[in-house]
Amino acid sequence: FWLKPSSSPCHSLFATMGKLHTISRGFRHGTRNKFAKKFRSKGKPGVARYLTNFKRGDYVDIVVDPSIQKGMPHSFYHGRTGIVFNVNRNALGVEITKIVGNRQIRKRMHVGIEHIKKSRCNEDFLKRVKANDRKKHDAKLLGETVNCKRAPEGPKPMKMVEAK
């Protein structure tokens, strides 16, 4: 029983070459849903986005706006919160912590203003600081000491359950 060698030179070539297409790993790969704008919210951002004032030390959220490609951060940083360390004409320097292996690295990058909004992550903290300062001021006028520490909510009050 004899096998005749393949007459097509191309057949043996493809068998030895293996996988022919490359898996593309571009800058925006895997962002079909992440960088898609919501229904009926297409188009460029409004003027209010550009008129927001940012200062060093502010907490900001990185929310990528896919309609503006300039100043766009990598998709990993979409939805992350960082602290402003530099303010430029049309970009902000943002410092973010990134977990790499078993350590935290502080990453510094400049992000376009269109891709940033003010974070509300420390709103409650600032409100509590103001309230505590007011309490301390009032207590000082009365000559008392006040406890500003947060205490966990205790158990619910007792109830009597009676059978009818």
Side-chain angles (χ1 to χ4, degrees):
F1 183 76
W2 295 95
L3 284 174
K4 193 168 93 173
S6 176
S7 58
S8 162
C10 200
H11 175 73
S12 63
L13 180 68
F14 285 135
T16 57
M17 285 176 67
K19 192 162 60 170
L20 291 177
H21 75 281
T22 58
I23 298 170
S24 60
R25 292 274 183 247
F27 192 73
R28 288 181 64 160
H29 85 274
T31 60
R32 174 188 283 188
N33 296 324
K34 190 182 273 194
F35 284 176
K37 295 197 97 171
K38 301 289 179 278
F39 179 62
R40 291 198 299 197
S41 67
K42 310 274 191 253
K44 302 287 182 194
V47 182
R49 185 87 67 85
Y50 294 95
L51 296 177
T52 313
N53 287 323
F54 294 99
K55 297 192 289 282
R56 285 177 61 190
D58 282 355
Y59 282 89
V60 291
D61 294 331
I62 296 177
V63 181
V64 175
D65 188 344
S67 64
I68 309 270
Q69 284 82 39
K70 270 193 172 179
M72 183 184 282
H74 189 266
S75 63
F76 172 83
Y77 301 102
H78 176 72
R80 309 266 167 173
T81 301
I83 300 173
V84 176
F85 74 88
N86 187 22
V87 181
N88 286 343
R89 188 165 47 93
N90 45 13
L92 286 181
V94 183
E95 190 174 81
I96 297 166
T97 56
K98 181 178 183 180
I99 294 171
V100 180
N102 63 343
R103 65 199 189 279
Q104 279 189 342
I105 296 177
R106 291 211 316 265
K107 306 279 277 188
R108 286 184 157 205
M109 70 185 89
H110 282 82
V111 181
I113 285 177
E114 305 89 7
H115 309 289
I116 278 179
K117 65 178 189 182
K118 284 203 169 183
S119 180
R120 301 180 62 193
C121 66
N122 65 338
E123 244 178 31
D124 292 337
F125 168 72
L126 294 175
K127 199 184 293 181
R128 202 172 71 242
V129 167
K130 267 188 187 172
N132 286 348
D133 286 344
R134 200 174 307 115
K135 281 181 193 172
K136 286 177 191 172
H137 182 261
D138 294 343
K140 195 172 186 180
L141 291 175
L142 297 172
E144 299 171 354
T145 56
V146 66
N147 184 17
C148 293
K149 288 186 178 178
R150 290 177 290 171
E153 190 180 325
K156 292 179 182 173
M158 180 182 72
K159 287 183 186 173
M160 294 296 287
V161 180
E162 295 175 359
K164 289 185 179 179

